[in-house]
PDB file of all heavy atoms in Angstrom:
ATOM      1  N   ILE A  32       2.381  14.969  28.443  1.00 98.00           N
ATOM      2  CA  ILE A  32       1.444  15.974  27.978  1.00 98.00           C
ATOM      3  C   ILE A  32       2.149  16.893  26.991  1.00 98.00           C
ATOM      4  O   ILE A  32       3.258  17.396  27.288  1.00 98.00           O
ATOM      5  CB  ILE A  32       0.878  16.812  29.134  1.00 98.00           C
ATOM      6  CG1 ILE A  32       0.027  15.888  30.063  1.00 98.00           C
ATOM      7  CG2 ILE A  32       0.007  17.935  28.624  1.00 98.00           C
ATOM      8  CD1 ILE A  32      -0.578  16.594  31.272  1.00 98.00           C
ATOM      9  N   ILE A  33       1.546  17.120  25.862  1.00 98.00           N
ATOM     10  CA  ILE A  33       2.079  18.099  24.881  1.00 98.00           C
ATOM     11  C   ILE A  33       1.178  19.293  24.946  1.00 98.00           C
ATOM     12  O   ILE A  33      -0.013  19.182  24.561  1.00 98.00           O
ATOM     13  CB  ILE A  33       2.210  17.461  23.479  1.00 98.00           C
ATOM     14  CG1 ILE A  33       3.127  16.260  23.543  1.00 98.00           C
ATOM     15  CG2 ILE A  33       2.630  18.528  22.450  1.00 98.00           C
ATOM     16  CD1 ILE A  33       2.975  15.314  22.357  1.00 98.00           C
ATOM     17  N   GLY A  34       1.725  20.409  25.376  1.00 97.00           N
ATOM     18  CA  GLY A  34       0.952  21.614  25.550  1.00 97.00           C
ATOM     19  C   GLY A  34       1.076  22.063  27.005  1.00 97.00           C
ATOM     20  O   GLY A  34       1.287  21.245  27.916  1.00 97.00           O
ATOM     21  N   SER A  35       1.028  23.366  27.230  1.00 96.00           N
ATOM     22  CA  SER A  35       1.130  23.880  28.614  1.00 96.00           C
ATOM     23  C   SER A  35       0.179  25.058  28.802  1.00 96.00           C
ATOM     24  O   SER A  35       0.474  26.039  29.505  1.00 96.00           O
ATOM     25  CB  SER A  35       2.532  24.344  28.891  1.00 96.00           C
ATOM     26  OG  SER A  35       2.929  25.354  27.961  1.00 96.00           O
ATOM     27  N   GLY A  36      -1.000  24.958  28.110  1.00 93.00           N
ATOM     28  CA  GLY A  36      -2.019  25.988  28.246  1.00 93.00           C
ATOM     29  C   GLY A  36      -2.997  25.666  29.318  1.00 93.00           C
ATOM     30  O   GLY A  36      -2.723  24.849  30.242  1.00 93.00           O
ATOM     31  N   ASN A  37      -4.179  26.254  29.207  1.00 90.00           N
ATOM     32  CA  ASN A  37      -5.170  26.135  30.323  1.00 90.00           C
ATOM     33  C   ASN A  37      -5.587  24.687  30.559  1.00 90.00           C
ATOM     34  O   ASN A  37      -5.742  24.267  31.689  1.00 90.00           O
ATOM     35  CB  ASN A  37      -6.406  26.986  30.004  1.00 90.00           C
ATOM     36  CG  ASN A  37      -6.098  28.471  29.945  1.00 90.00           C
ATOM     37  OD1 ASN A  37      -5.057  28.898  30.445  1.00 90.00           O
ATOM     38  ND2 ASN A  37      -6.925  29.229  29.241  1.00 90.00           N
ATOM     39  N   VAL A  38      -5.747  23.929  29.478  1.00 93.00           N
ATOM     40  CA  VAL A  38      -6.195  22.529  29.632  1.00 93.00           C
ATOM     41  C   VAL A  38      -5.099  21.739  30.348  1.00 93.00           C
ATOM     42  O   VAL A  38      -5.371  20.956  31.279  1.00 93.00           O
ATOM     43  CB  VAL A  38      -6.554  21.905  28.294  1.00 93.00           C
ATOM     44  CG1 VAL A  38      -6.900  20.425  28.444  1.00 93.00           C
ATOM     45  CG2 VAL A  38      -7.722  22.673  27.644  1.00 93.00           C
ATOM     46  N   ALA A  39      -3.849  21.879  29.893  1.00 96.00           N
ATOM     47  CA  ALA A  39      -2.756  21.144  30.508  1.00 96.00           C
ATOM     48  C   ALA A  39      -2.639  21.501  31.985  1.00 96.00           C
ATOM     49  O   ALA A  39      -2.490  20.610  32.829  1.00 96.00           O
ATOM     50  CB  ALA A  39      -1.460  21.450  29.781  1.00 96.00           C
ATOM     51  N   TRP A  40      -2.742  22.781  32.325  1.00 95.00           N
ATOM     52  CA  TRP A  40      -2.686  23.205  33.716  1.00 95.00           C
ATOM     53  C   TRP A  40      -3.821  22.591  34.557  1.00 95.00           C
ATOM     54  O   TRP A  40      -3.628  22.301  35.714  1.00 95.00           O
ATOM     55  CB  TRP A  40      -2.708  24.745  33.818  1.00 95.00           C
ATOM     56  CG  TRP A  40      -1.340  25.368  33.688  1.00 95.00           C
ATOM     57  CD1 TRP A  40      -0.700  25.719  32.542  1.00 95.00           C
ATOM     58  CD2 TRP A  40      -0.453  25.696  34.752  1.00 95.00           C
ATOM     59  NE1 TRP A  40       0.506  26.242  32.800  1.00 95.00           N
ATOM     60  CE2 TRP A  40       0.696  26.230  34.161  1.00 95.00           C
ATOM     61  CE3 TRP A  40      -0.505  25.606  36.140  1.00 95.00           C
ATOM     62  CZ2 TRP A  40       1.795  26.707  34.907  1.00 95.00           C
ATOM     63  CZ3 TRP A  40       0.589  26.044  36.897  1.00 95.00           C
ATOM     64  CH2 TRP A  40       1.749  26.594  36.291  1.00 95.00           C
ATOM     65  N   ALA A  41      -4.985  22.463  33.954  1.00 93.00           N
ATOM     66  CA  ALA A  41      -6.114  21.938  34.694  1.00 93.00           C
ATOM     67  C   ALA A  41      -5.986  20.430  34.922  1.00 93.00           C
ATOM     68  O   ALA A  41      -6.345  19.904  35.962  1.00 93.00           O
ATOM     69  CB  ALA A  41      -7.420  22.254  33.985  1.00 93.00           C
ATOM     70  N   LEU A  42      -5.488  19.703  33.872  1.00 95.00           N
ATOM     71  CA  LEU A  42      -5.524  18.241  33.942  1.00 95.00           C
ATOM     72  C   LEU A  42      -4.273  17.645  34.632  1.00 95.00           C
ATOM     73  O   LEU A  42      -4.338  16.609  35.293  1.00 95.00           O
ATOM     74  CB  LEU A  42      -5.655  17.642  32.533  1.00 95.00           C
ATOM     75  CG  LEU A  42      -6.924  18.013  31.754  1.00 95.00           C
ATOM     76  CD1 LEU A  42      -7.021  17.184  30.494  1.00 95.00           C
ATOM     77  CD2 LEU A  42      -8.189  17.839  32.610  1.00 95.00           C
ATOM     78  N   ALA A  43      -3.137  18.287  34.436  1.00 96.00           N
ATOM     79  CA  ALA A  43      -1.888  17.685  34.952  1.00 96.00           C
ATOM     80  C   ALA A  43      -1.948  17.317  36.441  1.00 96.00           C
ATOM     81  O   ALA A  43      -1.574  16.187  36.804  1.00 96.00           O
ATOM     82  CB  ALA A  43      -0.713  18.616  34.650  1.00 96.00           C
ATOM     83  N   PRO A  44      -2.476  18.216  37.292  1.00 95.00           N
ATOM     84  CA  PRO A  44      -2.520  17.854  38.732  1.00 95.00           C
ATOM     85  C   PRO A  44      -3.420  16.609  38.989  1.00 95.00           C
ATOM     86  O   PRO A  44      -3.169  15.876  39.940  1.00 95.00           O
ATOM     87  CB  PRO A  44      -3.099  19.082  39.427  1.00 95.00           C
ATOM     88  CG  PRO A  44      -2.900  20.195  38.466  1.00 95.00           C
ATOM     89  CD  PRO A  44      -2.958  19.587  37.090  1.00 95.00           C
ATOM     90  N   ALA A  45      -4.445  16.432  38.176  1.00 95.00           N
ATOM     91  CA  ALA A  45      -5.310  15.285  38.350  1.00 95.00           C
ATOM     92  C   ALA A  45      -4.512  14.023  38.075  1.00 95.00           C
ATOM     93  O   ALA A  45      -4.737  12.996  38.743  1.00 95.00           O
ATOM     94  CB  ALA A  45      -6.522  15.367  37.419  1.00 95.00           C
ATOM     95  N   PHE A  46      -3.617  14.026  37.119  1.00 97.00           N
ATOM     96  CA  PHE A  46      -2.778  12.877  36.785  1.00 97.00           C
ATOM     97  C   PHE A  46      -1.715  12.607  37.877  1.00 97.00           C
ATOM     98  O   PHE A  46      -1.543  11.452  38.293  1.00 97.00           O
ATOM     99  CB  PHE A  46      -2.134  12.995  35.448  1.00 97.00           C
ATOM    100  CG  PHE A  46      -3.154  13.113  34.313  1.00 97.00           C
ATOM    101  CD1 PHE A  46      -2.924  13.998  33.257  1.00 97.00           C
ATOM    102  CD2 PHE A  46      -4.285  12.362  34.298  1.00 97.00           C
ATOM    103  CE1 PHE A  46      -3.840  14.142  32.208  1.00 97.00           C
ATOM    104  CE2 PHE A  46      -5.224  12.459  33.245  1.00 97.00           C
ATOM    105  CZ  PHE A  46      -5.006  13.366  32.225  1.00 97.00           C
TER     106      PHE A  46
END
Side-chain angles (χ1 to χ4, degrees):
Chain A
I32 296 179
I33 298 162
S35 60
N37 296 341
V38 176
W40 274 86
L42 301 189
F46 298 140

